[in-house]
Amino acid sequence: MLEERFDQAEAESRGLAGLLEGRGFGGGAAVLDLNCRIGRHAIHLARLGYRVVGVDMSPRYIQRAGQLAIEHGVAGDSEFLVADARKVGEALSGRKFDAVINMFTSLGYYDEETDSSILRQCLTLTRSRGIFVLETGFRDAIIRHFQPSGVARPRDFLLLEERKIDLETSRSEADWTFLEKAGDGYRLRAQIHLSHRLYALHELIALFEEAGWRYLTAYRDFELREPSTDGNRLIVVCEAP
Ligand SMILES: C[S@@+](CC[C@H](N)C(=O)[O-])C[C@H]1O[C@@H](n2cnc3c(N)ncnc32)[C@H](O)[C@@H]1O
């Protein structure tokens, strides 16, 4: 599933580069991809000339990101490290970036205090006037278009998703069941529970500002259209004072 999404990230990364350039950060700028998974945005940004550092807590994803960087000829412009976002300030202590990106709903797995701490630590790693680009699911739109279940068919699997939104906590609680093809049928391969905080735009602005960032603007997508509940993604851009 992740490998399939690697190519999709190319267009998003071009959009990201446009957004960064618009803020004065062209090729050569230093970018931190926080919770980078297999490095799909980091690698495409490195191909566009950015110097990138990707961090993720999963050693397996980081190892794959390193392989993909070699395959795409950007091993010299990219670095991938295993680190916990909750301790990213310590893990990258002394380093400074022009921009931090956090893509594909990678904030909200913990409580708000922890999210705020992650944003505060990122600020210590960002140069003055540097920016944070957060791309995430947009609570208002997700609620508007809510689907309690879904089915996907990655390769030889059936993925069944059952979703709930806890309105008291504004958390999405989802159960994912992976069934793997076996003969004429399927066998149960894995079940996971995913819980994350869904944020509205005003809540994200408050979260960033409380952590010391200055809110600049928000978009619906990398074509830089204004936020709307028609699509269920949200991009928030903040600046380091
Ligand atoms: C929804 S994925 C998004 C990944 C990537 N940005 C992308 O667009 O493909 C969330 C990622 O956050 C990572 N993650 C979750 N908690 C983390 C933490 N505390 N520290 C570092 N990475 C974490 C997961 O391993 C996963 O790769």
Side-chain angles (χ1 to χ4, degrees):
M1 286 170 78
L2 300 180
E3 300 280 332
E4 279 166 18
R5 290 212 163 105
F6 186 86
D7 291 339
Q8 288 172 19
E10 189 170 5
E12 287 173 5
S13 301
R14 262 187 269 113
L16 254 174
L19 199 159
L20 295 176
E21 274 163 27
R23 297 278 160 197
F25 301 113
V31 177
L32 169 62
D33 185 352
L34 183 71
N35 295 18
C36 66
R37 200 143 69 177
I38 59 170
R40 52 195 197 119
H41 298 98
I43 289 168
H44 289 303
L45 284 177
R47 293 176 73 200
L48 294 170
Y50 290 88
R51 290 175 294 123
V52 295
V53 174
V55 301
D56 199 283
M57 79 190 315
S58 158
R60 201 162 163 199
Y61 288 160
I62 288 298
Q63 188 195 15
R64 183 66 185 134
Q67 283 170 351
L68 286 166
I70 294 169
E71 284 169 28
H72 287 84
V74 293
D77 301 303
S78 59
E79 195 183 335
F80 292 97
L81 305 167
V82 177
D84 189 324
R86 290 167 292 181
K87 292 186 181 160
V88 68
E90 204 180 298
L92 297 178
S93 166
R95 319 251 321 228
K96 286 284 180 192
F97 297 91
D98 298 304
V100 180
I101 62 170
N102 185 254
M103 304 289 293
F104 206 55
T105 316
S106 294
L107 196 75
Y109 293 111
Y110 308 103
D111 57 19
E112 280 171 47
E113 217 172 282
T114 308
D115 286 344
S116 178
S117 161
I118 293 171
L119 298 183
R120 225 174 299 120
Q121 292 177 57
C122 288
L123 188 58
T124 68
L125 300 172
T126 308
R127 290 194 182 93
S128 175
R129 311 303 298 269
I131 62 169
F132 195 119
V133 182
L134 174 86
E135 192 269 337
T136 190
F138 180 17
R139 183 184 69 177
D140 306 40
I142 290 169
I143 287 178
R144 180 177 167 202
H145 304 288
F146 186 66
Q147 305 270 349
S149 60
V151 180
R153 292 171 202 279
R155 296 205 198 151
D156 286 341
F157 289 87
L158 256 189
L159 165 58
L160 310 176
E161 283 186 51
E162 288 181 275
R163 313 180 188 110
K164 280 191 196 128
I165 296 177
D166 182 332
L167 295 174
E168 288 179 345
T169 59
S170 201
R171 291 189 80 85
S172 158
E173 305 287 348
D175 287 303
W176 288 19
T177 302
F178 288 88
L179 301 170
E180 187 175 21
K181 227 174 201 160
D184 292 339
Y186 287 91
R187 72 181 173 93
L188 179 64
R189 178 65 190 272
Q191 281 181 302
I192 55 174
H193 182 78
L194 288 168
S195 169
H196 70 273
R197 173 73 159 86
L198 295 173
Y199 285 110
L201 177 54
H202 69 282
E203 293 176 315
L204 284 170
I205 294 171
L207 196 71
F208 271 101
E209 293 197 333
E210 188 195 293
W213 291 87
R214 194 160 40 217
Y215 170 68
L216 291 177
T217 188
Y219 303 108
R220 168 182 167 176
D221 52 30
F222 285 105
E223 287 166 37
L224 308 187
R225 292 183 291 171
E226 65 180 46
S228 154
T229 56
D230 289 345
N232 62 6
R233 312 296 301 166
L234 185 65
I235 298 165
V236 178
V237 186
C238 293
E239 185 181 58

